[in-house]
């Protein structure tokens, strides 16, 4: 079990208030609920009950709280007795798409790696549309993501790239479209459809831009992707651009505003 999970459980065991623990621990209520559910699945029993009078610890929850306190105390004792290396240590969890990992992360992480080589970098990839949600819910510390017109007040960002959105096909006549299932690129595509008076026939929806390009190469339809993705794709030679004027996509480095005081996040942000 991760230390963070135990800390969240113990905080909730003390407050018996999901809202307060969520606020004070800087995680969303959904993330806190999922954390408790994961712990209960591993323990094999309910740790907390929600009744008319509020949240209460079950007998299993009381036993698990005692275990969690001992586990964290042992870890703290171990860390206190270790020879700490100079400089910052710990783990920085970063979310980025496959394209961002290839095209942006090396330059973004190089100064941090040079200044603080003891920091462990945990890079996670996935659907671009999920980046800010995973950051806001506390699953990662930093996200490289498309920046919406209105960024949530809980987050701050710095622009690292601006990339055009382009239409692509496999060179054959197409009347249908392949679009992302969610996210900023999908929203931009549908704004362009409305502006041009196009009523699109959607052939397929994907969870990632790389999957979208694969379907376009197969002839499923015309796709819309960031040029950054197209230029780095192994499908590039099999695709042609379709003339269109779409709005650009701003890509930024994002962190939670409340995390700017944390040493690892502050070090990364400062560099």
């Amino acid at each position: 079990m991760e230390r963070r999970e135990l800390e969240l459980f113990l905080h909730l065991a003390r407050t018996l208030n999901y809202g307060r623990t969520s606020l004070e621990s800087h995680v969303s209520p959904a993330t806190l609920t999922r954390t408790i559910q994961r712990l209960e699945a591993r323990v094999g029993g309910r740790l907390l009950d929600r009744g008319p009078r509020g949240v209460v610890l079950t007998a299993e929850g009381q036993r698990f709280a005692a275990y969690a306190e001992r586990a964290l105390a042992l870890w703290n004792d171990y860390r206190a007795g270790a020879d700490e290396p100079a400089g910052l240590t710990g783990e920085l969890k970063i979310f980025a798409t496959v394209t961002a990992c290839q095209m942006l992360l090396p330059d973004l992480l190089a100064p941090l790696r040079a200044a603080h080589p003891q920091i462990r970098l945990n890079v996670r990839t996935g659907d671009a549309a999920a980046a800010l949600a995973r950051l806001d819910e506390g699953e990662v510390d930093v996200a490289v993501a498309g920046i919406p017109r209105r960024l949530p007040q809980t987050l701050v960002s710095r622009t690292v790239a601006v990339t055009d959105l382009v239409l692509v096909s496999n060179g054959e006549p197409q009347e249908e479209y392949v679009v992302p299932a969610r996210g900023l690129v999908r929203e931009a595509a549908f704004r362009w459809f409305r502006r041009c008076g196009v009523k699109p026939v959607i052939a397929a929806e994907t969870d990632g831009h790389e999957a979208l390009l694969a379907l376009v190469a197969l002839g499923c339809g015309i796709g819309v992707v960031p040029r950054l993705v197209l230029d780095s794709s192994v499908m590039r030679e099999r695709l042609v651009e379709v003339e269109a004027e779409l709005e650009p996509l701003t890509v930024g480095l994002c962190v939670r505003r409340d995390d700017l005081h944390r040493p690892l996040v502050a070090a990364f942000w400062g560099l």
Side-chain angles (χ1 to χ4, degrees), residues 91-105:
E91 180 182 71
L92 189 69
K93 291 176 286 188
I94 304 162
F95 179 88
T97 64
V98 172
T99 298
C101 287
Q102 295 172 341
M103 306 292 287
L104 301 174
L105 270 193

Side-chain angles (χ1 to χ4, degrees), residues 93-191:
K93 291 176 286 188
I94 304 162
F95 179 88
T97 64
V98 172
T99 298
C101 287
Q102 295 172 341
M103 306 292 287
L104 301 174
L105 270 193
D107 288 339
L108 291 174
L109 294 177
L112 180 72
R113 184 69 175 166
H116 305 288
Q118 300 295 340
I119 292 178
R120 187 157 67 95
L121 302 175
N122 182 341
V123 179
R124 305 177 183 184
T125 64
D127 182 9
L132 293 185
R134 294 181 68 172
L135 174 64
D136 199 32
E137 291 179 1
E139 294 183 25
V140 294
D141 304 308
V142 180
V144 181
I147 306 300
R149 295 178 176 181
R150 292 186 178 181
L151 190 70
Q153 288 294 315
T154 55
L155 306 179
V156 292
S157 70
R158 285 181 175 171
T159 298
V160 296
V162 178
T163 179
D164 293 332
L165 297 183
V166 293
L167 293 183
V168 291
S169 78
N170 68 348
E172 299 175 0
Q174 302 284 346
E175 295 183 356
E176 298 179 318
Y177 290 87
V178 182
V179 297
R182 64 191 67 82
L184 299 180
V185 175
R186 178 188 176 91
E187 294 169 8
F190 277 84
R191 284 195 294 269

Side-chain angles (χ1 to χ4, degrees), residues 9 43 47 57-70:
F9 170 75
V43 168
L47 300 176
L57 277 174
T58 64
E60 189 66 35
Q62 294 174 355
R63 196 164 74 91
F64 186 74
Y67 158 77
E69 288 175 349
R70 289 196 302 272

Side-chain angles (χ1 to χ4, degrees), residues 168-181 202-225 229-230 233-236 238-240:
V168 291
S169 78
N170 68 348
E172 299 175 0
Q174 302 284 346
E175 295 183 356
E176 298 179 318
Y177 290 87
V178 182
V179 297
I202 305 302
E205 298 175 312
T206 67
D207 285 337
H209 296 136
E210 292 79 9
L212 185 151
L213 290 179
L215 293 183
V216 173
L218 286 171
C220 295
I222 298 172
V224 54
V225 294
V229 174
L230 177 63
S233 174
V234 296
M235 298 288 179
R236 182 69 181 90
R238 301 175 59 181
L239 302 171
V240 296

Side-chain angles (χ1 to χ4, degrees), residues 8-21:
L8 286 174
F9 170 75
L10 286 176
H11 193 291
L12 182 57
R14 289 192 294 271
T15 66
L16 296 178
N17 187 305
Y18 275 79
R20 180 179 168 188
T21 292

